[in-house]
Amino acid sequence: MQERTILGIDVGASGIKGAVVDIETGQLLNDRIRLDTPDSATPDAMAETFAELVRQHNWRGLIGCGFPSIIKKGVAYSAANISEEWIGTNVVEIFSLACGCPVEVLNDADAAGMAEMQFGLGKGEMGTVVLITIGSGLGSALFIDGKLVPNTEFGHFFLKNQKQVAEKYASSNARKREDLSWEEWGIRFNEYLQNLERVINPDLILLGGGASKRFDKYDSYITVRTPVKPAELLNNAGTVGAAIHAHQRWRK
Ligand code: BGC
């Protein structure tokens, strides 16, 4: 199967977003539809929302899906911001049964990274590029000479002197939950990037997710030597990348 248009769905801890993607240009072919992720974030509840989103698109065909978990051969191996009932379940089976269409799944940050590497600032970048998505959690996508190293979880580092994983300290949720100013949060996020830099020494750090749109608010607190840039595709990256991934899998 080699369709040029694929429904991309970005499943997140707070919203499930979908749009039909032209995988050759990375353009969305309709207005993105967003439904709230059910509070319980269980497999049953989320599968229902997923199927509803597919119905609203009136879609029959291949679907690419980004999902906020480690994904290996379709199975979820973690659940940091969704129900732990997901752990060990086959996400591909759950979503394809719910909507009646073939579904391919990968980690949501990996999806965003794939889109940014193909159509955004990562295009043609060699060396080590890491994309950090800043949202409910901190997601990561690592590329070596343009090739994805899947399922990195750089949001789960323990920071020096912190008794919690990085994403509980430096994500958008942490900023909102603790009512931090951009300065307070920017200093925390910089501390996070310093740790990341120390461990993987990337050549370029790209920022995605909601807070990447507000880069001007915290840019001045970032002191790492690696260039740090907000991603170009911003909110659509996860949707576009999920579609690209599904297309690559079905081409094989
Ligand atoms: C999860 C990652 C995910 C990120 C962004 C983290 O809590 O562990 O797998 O990519 O959130 O959704």
Side-chain angles (χ1 to χ4, degrees), residues 69-72 106-114 117 127-132 139-154 200 202 245 248:
S69 162
I70 298 167
I71 297 288
K72 285 178 179 256
L106 81 165
N107 170 265
D108 57 348
D110 285 349
M114 282 182 78
M117 293 302 284
T128 305
V129 178
V130 64
L131 172 105
I132 301 295
S140 61
L142 177 69
F143 295 84
I144 315 281
D145 292 342
K147 193 164 173 8
L148 174 68
V149 180
N151 290 312
T152 56
E153 286 285 346
F154 295 146
I200 61 164
H245 171 256
Q248 288 183 353

Coordinates of all heavy atoms in Angstrom, one line a residue, residues 69-72 106-114 117 127-132 139-154 200 202 245 248:
S69 N 4.3 6.8 25.1 CA 4.8 5.6 25.9 C 6.0 5.0 25.1 O 6.1 5.2 23.9 CB 3.7 4.6 26.0 OG 4.2 3.3 26.3
I70 N 6.8 4.2 25.7 CA 7.8 3.4 25.0 C 6.9 2.4 24.2 O 6.1 1.8 24.7 CB 8.7 2.7 26.0 CG1 9.5 3.7 26.8 CG2 9.6 1.7 25.2 CD1 10.2 3.0 28.0
I71 N 7.2 2.3 22.9 CA 6.5 1.4 22.0 C 7.4 0.4 21.3 O 8.3 0.9 20.6 CB 5.6 2.1 21.0 CG1 4.6 3.1 21.6 CG2 5.0 1.2 20.0 CD1 3.4 2.4 22.2
K72 N 7.3 -0.9 21.6 CA 8.1 -1.8 20.9 C 7.1 -2.8 20.2 O 6.3 -3.4 21.0 CB 9.0 -2.5 21.8 CG 10.2 -1.6 22.2 CD 11.1 -2.4 23.2 CE 12.3 -1.5 23.5 NZ 13.5 -1.9 22.9
L106 N 3.9 4.6 17.1 CA 5.3 4.8 17.6 C 5.2 5.9 18.7 O 4.1 6.5 18.9 CB 6.3 5.3 16.5 CG 6.2 6.8 16.1 CD1 7.5 7.1 15.3 CD2 5.0 7.2 15.3
N107 N 6.3 6.0 19.5 CA 6.3 7.0 20.5 C 6.0 8.4 20.0 O 6.4 8.8 18.9 CB 7.7 7.0 21.2 CG 7.9 8.1 22.1 OD1 8.4 9.2 21.8 ND2 7.4 7.9 23.4
D108 N 5.3 9.2 20.7 CA 4.8 10.5 20.2 C 6.0 11.5 20.0 O 5.9 12.2 19.0 CB 3.8 11.1 21.2 CG 4.3 11.3 22.6 OD1 5.4 10.8 23.0 OD2 3.6 12.0 23.4
A109 N 7.0 11.5 20.8 CA 8.1 12.4 20.6 C 8.9 12.0 19.4 O 9.4 12.8 18.6 CB 9.0 12.5 21.8
D110 N 9.0 10.6 19.2 CA 9.7 10.1 18.0 C 9.0 10.6 16.8 O 9.6 10.9 15.8 CB 9.8 8.6 18.1 CG 10.9 8.1 19.1 OD1 11.7 8.9 19.6 OD2 10.9 6.9 19.4
A111 N 7.7 10.5 16.8 CA 6.9 11.0 15.7 C 7.1 12.5 15.4 O 7.4 12.8 14.2 CB 5.4 10.8 16.0
A112 N 7.1 13.3 16.4 CA 7.4 14.7 16.2 C 8.8 14.9 15.6 O 9.0 15.7 14.7 CB 7.2 15.5 17.5
G113 N 9.7 14.2 16.1 CA 11.1 14.3 15.6 C 11.2 13.9 14.2 O 11.9 14.6 13.4
M114 N 10.5 12.8 13.8 CA 10.6 12.4 12.4 C 10.1 13.5 11.4 O 10.6 13.7 10.4 CB 9.7 11.1 12.2 CG 10.4 9.9 12.7 SD 9.4 8.4 12.4 CE 9.8 8.1 10.7
M117 N 12.6 16.3 11.3 CA 13.8 16.0 10.5 C 13.5 16.0 9.0 O 14.4 16.2 8.2 CB 14.3 14.6 11.0 CG 14.9 14.5 12.4 SD 16.2 15.7 12.7 CE 17.6 14.9 11.9
G127 N 25.1 14.4 12.3 CA 25.5 14.4 13.7 C 24.3 14.0 14.6 O 23.4 13.3 14.2
T128 N 24.4 14.5 15.8 CA 23.5 14.0 16.8 C 22.5 15.2 17.1 O 22.8 16.3 17.5 CB 24.2 13.7 18.2 OG1 25.2 12.7 17.9 CG2 23.2 13.2 19.2
V129 N 21.2 14.9 16.7 CA 20.2 15.9 16.9 C 19.2 15.3 17.9 O 18.8 14.2 17.8 CB 19.4 16.2 15.6 CG1 18.3 17.2 15.8 CG2 20.4 16.7 14.5
V130 N 18.8 16.1 18.9 CA 17.8 15.7 19.8 C 16.6 16.7 19.9 O 16.8 17.9 19.9 CB 18.4 15.4 21.2 CG1 18.9 16.6 21.9 CG2 17.4 14.7 22.2
L131 N 15.4 16.1 19.8 CA 14.2 17.0 19.9 C 13.6 16.7 21.3 O 13.4 15.5 21.6 CB 13.2 16.7 18.8 CG 11.9 17.4 19.0 CD1 11.7 18.5 18.0 CD2 10.7 16.5 18.8
I132 N 13.3 17.7 22.0 CA 12.7 17.6 23.3 C 11.3 18.2 23.2 O 11.2 19.4 22.8 CB 13.5 18.3 24.5 CG1 14.9 17.7 24.6 CG2 12.7 18.2 25.8 CD1 15.0 16.3 25.0
G139 N 9.2 14.7 26.4 CA 9.4 13.6 25.4 C 10.8 13.9 24.7 O 11.2 15.0 24.7
S140 N 11.3 12.8 24.2 CA 12.6 13.0 23.5 C 12.7 12.1 22.2 O 12.1 11.0 22.2 CB 13.8 12.7 24.4 OG 13.7 11.3 24.8
A141 N 13.4 12.7 21.2 CA 13.6 11.9 20.0 C 15.1 12.1 19.6 O 15.5 13.3 19.5 CB 12.7 12.3 18.8
L142 N 15.8 11.1 19.4 CA 17.3 11.2 19.1 C 17.5 10.7 17.7 O 17.1 9.7 17.3 CB 18.0 10.3 20.1 CG 19.5 10.2 19.9 CD1 20.2 11.5 20.3 CD2 20.1 9.1 20.8
F143 N 18.3 11.5 17.0 CA 18.7 11.2 15.6 C 20.2 11.2 15.4 O 20.8 12.2 15.9 CB 18.0 12.2 14.6 CG 16.6 12.1 14.6 CD1 15.8 12.8 15.6 CD2 15.9 11.3 13.7 CE1 14.4 12.7 15.6 CE2 14.5 11.2 13.7 CZ 13.8 11.9 14.7
I144 N 20.7 10.2 14.8 CA 22.2 10.2 14.5 C 22.3 10.2 13.0 O 21.8 9.2 12.4 CB 22.9 8.9 15.1 CG1 22.4 8.5 16.5 CG2 24.4 9.0 14.9 CD1 23.0 9.3 17.6
D145 N 22.9 11.2 12.5 CA 23.0 11.3 11.0 C 21.6 11.1 10.3 O 21.5 10.4 9.3 CB 24.0 10.4 10.4 CG 25.4 10.8 10.9 OD1 25.6 11.9 11.3 OD2 26.3 9.9 10.8
G146 N 20.6 11.7 10.9 CA 19.2 11.6 10.4 C 18.5 10.4 10.7 O 17.3 10.3 10.3
K147 N 19.1 9.4 11.3 CA 18.4 8.1 11.6 C 17.9 8.1 13.1 O 18.7 8.4 14.0 CB 19.4 7.0 11.4 CG 18.6 5.6 11.3 CD 19.5 4.6 10.7 CE 18.9 3.2 10.8 NZ 17.5 3.0 11.3
L148 N 16.6 7.8 13.2 CA 16.0 7.8 14.6 C 16.6 6.6 15.4 O 16.6 5.5 15.0 CB 14.5 7.6 14.4 CG 13.7 7.4 15.7 CD1 13.7 8.7 16.6 CD2 12.2 7.0 15.4
V149 N 16.9 6.9 16.7 CA 17.2 5.9 17.7 C 15.9 5.9 18.6 O 15.7 6.8 19.4 CB 18.4 6.3 18.5 CG1 18.7 5.2 19.6 CG2 19.6 6.5 17.6
P150 N 15.0 4.9 18.3 CA 13.7 5.1 18.9 C 13.6 4.8 20.4 O 14.5 4.2 21.0 CB 12.9 4.0 18.2 CG 13.9 3.0 17.7 CD 15.1 3.7 17.5
N151 N 12.6 5.4 21.0 CA 12.3 5.1 22.5 C 13.3 5.6 23.5 O 13.4 5.1 24.6 CB 12.0 3.6 22.7 CG 10.7 3.1 22.0 OD1 9.7 3.8 22.2 ND2 10.8 2.1 21.3
T152 N 14.0 6.7 23.1 CA 14.8 7.3 24.2 C 13.8 8.0 25.2 O 12.7 8.4 24.8 CB 15.7 8.4 23.7 OG1 15.0 9.4 22.9 CG2 16.8 7.8 22.8
E153 N 14.1 8.0 26.4 CA 13.2 8.7 27.4 C 14.1 9.7 28.2 O 14.2 9.5 29.4 CB 12.6 7.6 28.3 CG 11.5 6.7 27.7 CD 10.2 7.4 27.5 OE1 10.0 8.5 28.2 OE2 9.4 7.0 26.7
F154 N 14.5 10.7 27.5 CA 15.4 11.7 28.2 C 14.6 12.6 29.2 O 15.2 13.4 29.9 CB 16.2 12.5 27.2 CG 17.1 11.7 26.3 CD1 17.4 12.0 25.0 CD2 17.8 10.6 26.9 CE1 18.2 11.3 24.2 CE2 18.7 9.9 26.1 CZ 18.9 10.2 24.8
I200 N 24.7 13.3 26.5 CA 24.7 12.9 25.1 C 25.4 13.8 24.1 O 25.6 13.5 23.0 CB 23.3 12.6 24.5 CG1 22.4 13.9 24.6 CG2 22.6 11.5 25.2 CD1 21.2 13.7 23.7
P202 N 24.9 16.5 22.2 CA 24.3 16.6 20.8 C 24.9 17.8 20.1 O 25.6 18.6 20.6 CB 22.8 16.9 21.1 CG 22.8 17.6 22.5 CD 24.0 17.0 23.2
H245 N 5.6 7.8 9.6 CA 6.0 6.5 10.1 C 5.2 5.4 9.5 O 5.7 4.4 9.1 CB 6.0 6.6 11.6 CG 6.2 5.2 12.3 ND1 5.2 4.5 12.8 CD2 7.3 4.5 12.4 CE1 5.6 3.3 13.3 NE2 6.9 3.3 13.1
Q248 N 6.1 4.7 6.0 CA 7.3 3.9 5.9 C 7.2 2.5 6.2 O 7.7 1.6 5.6 CB 8.4 4.5 6.8 CG 8.9 5.9 6.4 CD 10.0 6.4 7.3 OE1 10.3 5.9 8.3 NE2 10.5 7.5 6.9

